Amino acid sequence: MTMKKLLFKNPHALFCKNAASKTTFALLLTIILSCLVTAAAQGTSFFYCSHYTKVLILSCLFLAYAGLFFYLKFSRRFNENTVVFLLILAGVLLRCSYVLLSGLYERQHDAGAYTGMGTDFINPGHIGYIEYLYKFHKLPDINPYELFAYYHPPLHHILSYIWLQINIWLGVPEPLAFENLQIPTLFYSCLCMVVTWKILKTLEIRGNGLYIGLAFVVLHPATIIMAGSVNNDMLTILFMCLIIWESLKWIRDKNLAGLIRLALCIGFGMITKLNSAVLAIPLGIIFLMHFISVIRTKDKPLLLYWIKNYCIFGVIVAPIGLSWIVRNLTRFGEKPGVPVPGASSPMYTAPYSLWSRLGIPAFSDWNFAFPFHPISAKACNNTWVIMFHTSLFAEEYPVDLPNVLLVLCQITFVLAVILGIATVVLLLVTLLNRRTKKEDTVFLLTGYFIMLVSFAAFVIIYPYTCSSDFRYVAICLVYVSIALGLGIKYYLAPHLLQKDEKFMHAKTVFMHCINSITLTVLAFITIIYIFWERW
């Protein structure tokens, strides 16, 4: 269809599409510039200021942001794209601030260390992995299971190495270049917010549903903390977000271009971290449903066309996604797996019953009085409790938290648990609603539960408290975002409701309660992070 015909057919849709494209471009440009400014700021005296000096300077930045917000509001320049831009801009500022407030070795997972180009040491951990590429300009020749973290597929580490090398070429001192390894994950975390917006838009979620659903991902602390990480979790989540978005688009368009994009997202996701392949299962169900519908048409040319398309998908995804597994099998005889610290570790949970680890937690397991992850399996070994602890506060276990902040942490944690349970119910109700497309329901619902089942299986296979960390299922934030968006769309927009909707009043009240809890948790956790000197 030509531009002229499209404009004649639906000028409003064309205007909205152009406005969204401009917003996307503005967001991407803002994210890139913000990441580069953050990298530069890490080399200034700002990085070595006291915590409160940094907070004061960053507070001035957020005051400027507030000024922009109120200027646009009172000048009546607010529209959906403006609000989206401001929401994501707030998330970008928070993530950049977090990176500036935290060093290379703070709140990391399996980070390891670097010793620099001047030594021939081969160091463990993700930083050591990146340093190996930096020193030797090739993938490790050693068995990747003999040195911790080297068993991970290499895409994130290659990209980090390239960024590190660019820093060195630009004359950045080596210590600062390694400090800037947080910048790629900062970039990925910022992009996740943009992709989440695209997911919600694909599901035709607008207005308050779009704002609250997006705000949940923008302000939730999990991806803010992961923005300062140096491991491959954040890039994995970005690829998972892209798989969800591209799958929802393909459900609507069903074309070869969409299949190719999906193949690339899954393939590159798998060579970032193998658990990206989990989302290939619900996608495979969608492919099967579509292929059966093609067979039922009894149209031979159409059938051959889609056989060809699916073969192209397989030819692209298999070599990329399986390349790391094949390499380790052929060169070292190693199957996919994770090295474990052993039964002597205080994190070891195997001695405890399966119900204790994966069953409904007892009230005492939650430790509402001090809602932080104690690491030791003896203190806490229930997966769901650890998941909630680490979702809000990572693996921090503060010993000098002010009483006021502790009370706020207690309240926030209780509300977060209530919200977590309520949003599972909301996701079920909204996806099973007859207004949700059947294929959307199958893909999203299957994907969500397979994610949780694979998480539980991971905890059983690798029985350590660290296996229960929320970072392994952080993609569930996007599913919660979808549930919030669809819930508001279905139950708080009267002009869209069907007159025969059952229990509508109860659903409306339920949705208002969820929205109130969501906004309260996001507000409280932001306040906690601002005044928690540890950050």
Side-chain angles (χ1 to χ4, degrees), residues 344-361:
S344 60
S345 170
M347 298 185 293
Y348 193 55
T349 60
Y352 302 92
S353 70
L354 199 59
W355 177 258
S356 176
R357 288 184 281 157
L358 288 167
I360 298 172

Side-chain angles (χ1 to χ4, degrees), residues 35-36 38-39 42 99 163 180-188:
C35 290
L36 293 176
T38 302
Q42 295 212 111
V99 169
W163 168 249
N180 276 340
L181 286 177
Q182 293 176 303
I183 302 302
T185 48
L186 168 63
F187 181 65
Y188 308 147

Side-chain angles (χ1 to χ4, degrees), residues 108-112 123-130 132-133 138-160 226 230-237 267-276 320-328 332 334-340 458 462 466-467 471-472:
Q108 299 289 354
H109 296 281
D110 310 327
N123 295 301
H126 291 281
I127 297 174
Y129 194 162
I130 296 165
Y132 187 103
L133 301 175
K138 62 179 181 179
L139 288 174
D141 287 331
I142 58 175
N143 185 328
Y145 289 86
E146 292 179 355
L147 200 60
F148 190 66
Y150 281 55
Y151 63 90
H152 284 284
L155 181 59
H156 162 74
H157 305 86
I158 291 172
L159 294 175
S160 295
M226 291 168 72
V230 293
N231 65 12
N232 53 357
D233 288 330
M234 196 66 250
L235 183 57
T236 303
I237 293 168
F268 286 125
M270 287 180 68
I271 58 169
T272 301
K273 202 169 187 179
L274 291 177
N275 66 346
S276 300
I320 300 173
L322 299 177
S323 57
W324 184 248
I325 296 174
V326 172
R327 176 184 185 269
N328 290 337
F332 307 107
E334 294 283 3
K335 298 178 182 178
V338 178
V340 294
F458 180 67
Y462 304 103
C466 60
S467 300
R471 64 194 175 98
Y472 293 114

Side-chain angles (χ1 to χ4, degrees), residues 1 15 26 39 154 301-302 356 384 393 495 506:
M1 185 181 291
F15 174 78
L302 183 64
S356 176
W384 313 115
F393 309 115
H495 64 283

Side-chain angles (χ1 to χ4, degrees), residues 149-338:
Y150 281 55
Y151 63 90
H152 284 284
L155 181 59
H156 162 74
H157 305 86
I158 291 172
L159 294 175
S160 295
Y161 152 67
I162 293 171
W163 168 249
L164 180 65
Q165 195 66 62
I166 290 171
N167 276 257
I168 298 298
W169 285 338
L170 292 174
V172 176
E174 195 173 75
L176 178 57
F178 274 92
E179 187 69 43
N180 276 340
L181 286 177
Q182 293 176 303
I183 302 302
T185 48
L186 168 63
F187 181 65
Y188 308 147
S189 181
C190 292
L191 287 183
C192 278
M193 295 186 288
V194 178
V195 179
T196 301
W197 167 46
K198 296 293 186 180
I199 290 170
L200 296 175
K201 288 288 289 183
T202 303
L203 291 168
E204 299 178 359
I205 296 169
R206 299 183 176 88
N208 288 337
L210 176 62
Y211 305 149
I212 293 178
L214 180 59
F216 183 78
V217 171
V218 166
L219 299 175
H220 195 281
T223 54
I224 295 176
I225 293 172
M226 291 168 72
S229 64
V230 293
N231 65 12
N232 53 357
D233 288 330
M234 196 66 250
L235 183 57
T236 303
I237 293 168
L238 175 59
F239 277 120
M240 284 182 157
C241 287
L242 287 169
I243 292 168
I244 293 173
W245 180 35
E246 290 295 342
S247 297
L248 293 173
K249 285 166 60 182
W250 188 83
I251 284 170
R252 284 149 180 78
D253 299 333
K254 293 187 174 63
N255 53 34
L256 177 59
L259 276 180
I260 292 172
R261 290 194 300 270
L262 273 168
L264 292 172
C265 289
I266 295 171
F268 286 125
M270 287 180 68
I271 58 169
T272 301
K273 202 169 187 179
L274 291 177
N275 66 346
S276 300
V278 169
L279 288 177
I281 298 173
L283 182 61
I285 296 173
I286 296 300
F287 285 171
L288 181 61
M289 290 171 61
H290 171 252
F291 194 65
I292 289 172
S293 70
V294 171
I295 293 173
R296 286 175 176 170
T297 64
K298 298 180 180 179
D299 185 335
K300 188 175 180 181
L302 183 64
L303 180 62
L304 292 174
Y305 172 76
W306 278 106
I307 290 174
K308 179 197 73 174
N309 287 352
Y310 285 127
C311 286
I312 292 172
F313 172 86
V315 166
I316 295 172
V317 73
I320 300 173
L322 299 177
S323 57
W324 184 248
I325 296 174
V326 172
R327 176 184 185 269
N328 290 337
L329 277 172
T330 55
R331 292 195 63 180
F332 307 107
E334 294 283 3
K335 298 178 182 178
V338 178

Side-chain angles (χ1 to χ4, degrees), residues 9-21:
K9 185 177 180 180
N10 194 344
H12 178 69
L14 181 62
F15 174 78
C16 291
K17 185 176 181 179
N18 288 338
S21 298

